[in-house]
């Protein structure tokens, strides 16, 4: 046997993770920027001790640990922070997350689901109960009478792209190596979970020293098969009104310039999903903006007419397709370019499995000299200018709107407009849930490829504050504006404390409208009369939630958590607040801009639909009317079963 080193399982894990690197196009970076965590009895003497040992050794040598530790306040939030960081780094770098036994670990489940659904790499290290079972049942252990090997950590299995449990030290190397492979695979990536029983974490073993050698994991760029390029070219050349739908894969492959060249050369308009927004920057002649349920009228009009739709790096969610009503033309065909065959095969499309950048370069070369008609180019411009004018009006509403606002409040669209116009082009806007993501998708004018970050795969309330920390850690040269409603803020405000602790400057624009704005509007549209969506006191007579507005002061709450808070009540005050936040010291911690808005005023309509079933029978007239409207919309839903392969 070769040379060995005696370490605990936890010490070996920490040392291994500190030596992992990723590389693409000859550029490499540490795979793990550090480890987020909260310690409890399950990991304090295991991973906690190992991180301490590494930190002290680095400090004594005048350096920084290869795997720095950051204390957070909520386990779900730390996964969101890791996801925000990894997405900003185009999935080439992430964080590990350690949690204690029981609730500490299961708190990470929502974060795991979010990471996997969005195809974002993050390593989760939930602690488990005793592998030896010598002290069973220990504190926080789930006892399953039908199986002795079931633990709460088994809940991670369906939420993870890779799962393993290390019950013996000998299992650790294979678990770690498999985890790294999945984390660095653009097709397979997502949440990766290695469950570590608390007794195993502290167990010593003689490890081969080569386990801790520096390892570089290559992130591949699969090139398209020539035959698939040729087939795609035949379909595109046959089109009179083609449309590109750009998804997150454009960003993750760094294909923005390649897409801009392709669109300019061919004249094919480009619509964007939530993850793909910013694939073309505002002002590009072929940009027609967001598509689908939260899309622009320009993109949705072109989608309805399109005879060929070219999906690039999109997973074709229901919001993108407006629940399969957006692409309405009879015989419409799809060409799907995606690094994952699973996504490339959707919509019965012609599948081109390849890296987005490589595929776009190949298509642009093969289509040299081909273009859509001048008439079609002109129609794109006309539709876009009409929409862009509507955005300008939404940013600065006319007197007929502002005079009707309650107590002189701002509209949500005008708040978005102020932040968009007064932030720097390289600043990042962030959101995840509520009505704000839809408004941002339609209204935000992206001026930098990394300037837009909306989590809409899982649309998880509470993502905003922790993820903003991750983005700022990924790139401290950019200010991050986390746009969050009162509902989302109340889900996860505690990470403001982490931002204070780490001196991380993030700007939280807290929009107070006293309830769930998005779901309230949806509820009304579905005939449920905004039931249970307003933050109100229970009425003394009605016993319903229809009393006064709750006496909750979120500005004071944010101050109590250590944030610098600015309260605004007008457009002028908002302008001053944004300027003050921009000038806040880079190491000054979080700034919260608190602004109340009128929830009755909406952004320009997408003229689109989203399939949310309405009760088929009801005693309520509002529900009966909504059901009739629902049935009418269902008539426009398409199956997309006709194959895009035909000539």
């Amino acid at each position: 046997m070769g040379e060995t080193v005696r370490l605990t399982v936890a010490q070996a894990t920490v040392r291994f993770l500190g030596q992992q690197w990723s590389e693409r196009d000859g550029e490499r970076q540490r795979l793990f920027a550090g480890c987020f965590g909260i310690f409890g009895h399950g990991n304090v003497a295991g991973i906690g001790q190992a991180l301490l040992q590494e930190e002290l050794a680095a400090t004594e040598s005048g350096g920084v640990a290869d795997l720095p530790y950051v204390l957070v306040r909520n386990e779900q939030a730390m996964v969101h922070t890791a996801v925000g960081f990894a997405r900003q780094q185009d999935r080439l770098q992430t964080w590990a997350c350690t949690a204690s036994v029981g609730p500490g670990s299961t708190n990470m489940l929502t974060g795991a689901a979010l990471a996997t659904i969005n195809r974002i790499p993050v390593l989760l290290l939930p602690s488990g109960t005793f592998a030896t079972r010598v002290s069973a049942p220990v504190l926080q252990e789930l006892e399953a009478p039908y199986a002795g090997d079931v633990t709460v950590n088994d809940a991670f299995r369906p939420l993870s792209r890779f799962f393993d449990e290390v019950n013996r030290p000998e299992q650790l190397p294979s678990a770690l190596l498999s985890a790294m492979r999945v984390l660095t695979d653009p097709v397979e990536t997502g949440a990766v979970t290695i469950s570590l029983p608390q007794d195993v974490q502290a167990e010593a073993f003689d490890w081969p020293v080569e386990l801790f050698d520096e390892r570089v994991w290559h992130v591949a760029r699969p090139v398209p098969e020539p035959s698939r390029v040729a087939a795609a070219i035949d379909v595109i050349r046959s089109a009179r009104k083609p449309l590109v739908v750009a998804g997150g894969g454009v960003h993750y492959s760094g294909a923005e310039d390649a897409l801009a060249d392709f669109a300019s050369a061919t004249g094919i308009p480009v619509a964007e999903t939530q993850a793909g927004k910013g694939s073309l920057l505002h002002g590009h002649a072929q940009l027609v903006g967001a598509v689908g349920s939260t899309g622009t009228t320009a993109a949705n009009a072109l989608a309805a007419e399109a005879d060929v739709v070219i999906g690039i790096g999109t997973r074709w969610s229901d919001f993108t397709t407006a629940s399969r009503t957006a692409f309405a033309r009879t015989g419409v065909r799809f060409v799907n370019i995606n690094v994952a065959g699973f996504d490339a095969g959707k919509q019965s499309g012609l599948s081109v499995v390849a890296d987005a950048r490589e595929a776009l370069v190949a298509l642009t070369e093969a289509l040299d000299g081909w273009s859509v008609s001048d008439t079609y180019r002109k129609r794109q411009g006309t539709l876009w200018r009409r929409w862009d004018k509507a955005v300008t009006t939404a940013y600065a509403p006319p007197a007929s709107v502002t005079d009707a606002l309650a107590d002189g409040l701002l509209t949500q669209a005008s708040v978005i407009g102020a932040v968009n116009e007064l932030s720097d082009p390289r600043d990042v806007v962030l959101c995840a849930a509520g009505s704000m993501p839809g408004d941002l998708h339609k209204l935000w004018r992206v001026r930098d490829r990394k300037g837009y970050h909306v989590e809409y795969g899982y649309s998880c309330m509470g993502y905003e504050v922790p993820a903003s920390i991750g983005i700022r850690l990924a790139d401290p040269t950019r200010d991050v504006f986390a746009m969050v409603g009162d509902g989302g803020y109340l889900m996860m405000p505690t990470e403001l404390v982490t931002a204070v602790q780490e001196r991380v400057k993030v700007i939280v624009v807290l929009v107070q409208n006293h309830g769930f704005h998005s779901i309230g509007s949806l509820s009304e549209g579905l005939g449920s009369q905004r039931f249970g969506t307003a933050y109100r006191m229970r009425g003394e007579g009605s016993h319903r939630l229809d009393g006064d507005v709750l006496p909750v002061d979120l500005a004071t709450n944010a101050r109590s958590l250590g944030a610098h808070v600015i309260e605004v009540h007008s457009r002028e005050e908002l302008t001053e607040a944004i300027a003050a936040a921009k000038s806040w010291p880079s190491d000054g911690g979080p700034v919260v801009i608190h602004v109340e808005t009128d929830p009755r005023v909406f952004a320009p309509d997408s003229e689109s639909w989203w399939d949310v079933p309405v009760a088929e029978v009801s005693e309520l007239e509002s529900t009966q009317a909504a059901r009739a409207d629902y049935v009418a919309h269902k008539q426009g839903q398409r199956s997309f079963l006709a194959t895009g392969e035909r000539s």
Side-chain angles (χ1 to χ4, degrees), residues 88 121 453 467:
Q88 193 69 15
H453 184 121

Side-chain angles (χ1 to χ4, degrees), residues 84-385:
F85 180 96
R87 176 171 165 179
Q88 193 69 15
Q89 297 291 64
D90 291 332
R91 306 191 300 189
L92 298 174
Q93 191 178 32
T94 187
W95 286 68
C97 298
T98 178
S100 187
V101 173
S105 287
T106 55
N107 278 350
M108 296 195 295
L109 289 169
T110 296
L114 181 145
T116 295
I117 286 172
N118 286 285
R119 279 78 157 171
I120 304 294
V122 60
L123 177 63
L124 309 180
L125 302 173
S127 299
T129 50
F130 281 68
T132 60
R133 306 180 193 171
V134 65
S135 299
V138 300
L139 179 65
Q140 299 174 326
E141 178 174 355
L142 170 72
E143 291 184 274
Y146 57 87
D149 62 346
V150 172
T151 77
V152 294
N153 287 352
D154 288 302
F156 284 96
R157 292 179 183 270
L159 306 179
S160 303
R161 294 296 291 169
F162 174 81
F163 176 93
D164 201 355
E165 184 166 84
V166 177
N167 287 304
R168 292 179 56 85
E170 295 92 332
Q171 298 169 344
L172 183 65
S174 65
L176 289 173
L177 293 170
S178 295
M180 299 310 109
R181 174 188 59 79
V182 174
L183 287 169
T184 56
D185 186 331
V187 176
E188 296 295 328
T189 198
V192 167
T193 303
I194 299 179
S195 176
L196 297 170
Q198 59 179 312
D199 53 343
V200 176
Q201 288 185 40
E203 188 174 345
F205 188 75
D206 294 317
W207 309 96
V209 294
E210 56 264 32
L211 177 64
F212 309 109
D213 288 345
E214 186 176 286
R215 295 174 188 268
V216 181
W217 299 85
H218 175 66
V219 179
R221 285 192 182 277
V223 298
E225 295 180 42
S227 63
R228 306 311 290 165
V229 173
I233 292 300
D234 287 344
V235 174
I236 295 170
R237 285 183 178 274
S238 71
R240 296 184 61 191
K241 294 184 176 181
L243 174 70
V244 164
V245 174
V250 174
H251 288 307
Y252 299 141
S253 69
E256 296 90 352
D257 290 343
L259 176 61
D261 292 342
F262 173 82
S264 295
T266 63
I268 300 177
V270 175
E272 302 164 312
T273 70
Q274 277 283 18
K277 189 170 174 68
S279 293
L280 292 185
L281 301 183
H282 182 73
H284 192 288
Q286 271 62 60
L287 177 64
V288 293
V291 69
S293 298
T294 54
T296 71
T297 54
N300 285 340
L302 294 173
E305 302 169 0
D307 49 4
V308 170
V309 181
I310 308 164
I312 306 175
T314 176
R315 64 190 186 97
W316 292 117
S317 75
D318 65 334
F319 260 67
T320 297
T321 67
S323 298
R324 296 195 171 188
T325 62
F327 308 105
R329 184 173 179 138
T330 301
V332 60
R333 287 184 286 173
F334 292 83
V335 175
N336 297 327
I337 298 167
N338 204 294
V339 72
F342 175 76
D343 292 316
K346 293 177 179 177
Q347 315 291 79
S348 301
L350 189 154
S351 174
V352 181
V353 178
D355 173 80
R357 191 187 74 180
E358 297 302 310
L360 280 165
V361 169
L363 289 177
T364 303
E365 292 177 353
L367 285 168
D368 185 34
W370 181 89
S371 173
V372 301
S373 69
D374 290 342
T375 300
Y376 191 47
R377 285 182 184 255
K378 183 177 180 180
R379 175 158 171 72
Q380 298 169 38
T382 299
L383 289 170
W384 176 251
R385 285 189 294 274

